[in-house]
Structures are given as C-alpha cells and as structure tokens.
Amino acid sequence: MTHFHSYQEIISIESEAWRAFECQPVASGRGGKKRDAKRDKVTAITNRFFDAMMSDNPPKTKEDAVTMLTPVLGLLLSIFFKQLAVSVIEWLWDRTKESRA
C-alpha cells in the first residue's frame, strides 16, 4: 500500500470538493435533498478515489484514474452523476497532485 495522504488531509480535501461542486453543508441545515444527494455522491467518489490511490496498484495518470474508477461508480450512478464522477475524479487528481508538488 502506498502512503498518499493522512486521514485529516483526506477529510480536508473532501470538504474542498464539496465546496468546489457546490454541495457543502449549509449552516441553516436547509441544503435540500438534491444538495444532500450530490454531497453523498461526491463523498462516495472521494472515498473510492483515495481507496484506489492507496491500493497496491494506484492509477498513474488522471486518465487512468477516470478509467479505473468510472465503471465501478457508473453502476451506482445515473448518467448525470457519471458525468459528475468524472469531474470529481479529475478535480481530485489535480488537487492531490498539486498538494504533493
């Protein structure tokens, strides 16, 4: 297993992803069901991304990450959310590579 990020870093990056994809929790607690569902999807994608990155055979490129993760997520998500998955995976790739540079 390859060390990638600490648990705290992963949680911080997940929170950044929520903001980037406009689904962060709102202070009033009135985010709405669509926002909550989108946040659940972003969280699921983030979890799969970090599982893959910490595996024995992590993706080497952004394209590999999308190819590796999208089929699994595609089974769980509609076409719209499959597009979201690709966007989130690409965002996570760029964000994590930026923090390691």
Side-chain angles (χ1 to χ4, degrees), residues 9-101:
E9 288 172 314
I10 292 170
I11 296 301
S12 177
I13 292 168
E14 178 183 54
S15 294
E16 288 177 42
W18 290 346
R19 284 189 299 276
F21 291 93
E22 300 178 356
C23 59
Q24 71 273 23
V26 291
S28 66
R30 297 185 186 151
K33 290 181 182 182
K34 286 178 87 172
R35 185 183 194 98
D36 293 345
K38 185 175 183 181
R39 184 172 52 253
D40 290 344
K41 301 290 190 262
V42 170
T43 296
I45 296 162
T46 301
N47 291 339
R48 281 285 296 144
F49 177 83
F50 283 107
D51 287 346
M53 294 307 292
M54 293 187 290
S55 72
D56 291 334
N57 188 24
K60 305 286 188 241
T61 66
K62 183 190 304 189
E63 293 76 19
D64 288 346
V66 169
T67 300
M68 180 186 287
L69 297 172
T70 304
V72 174
L73 293 167
L75 297 174
L76 304 173
L77 307 172
S78 69
I79 295 298
F80 171 75
F81 284 110
K82 188 170 182 180
Q83 292 171 347
L84 173 65
V86 170
S87 296
V88 173
I89 292 164
E90 289 176 344
W91 183 90
L92 287 166
W93 182 269
D94 292 340
R95 171 58 183 83
T96 57
K97 294 303 174 185
E98 163 190 301
S99 70
R100 296 187 78 199

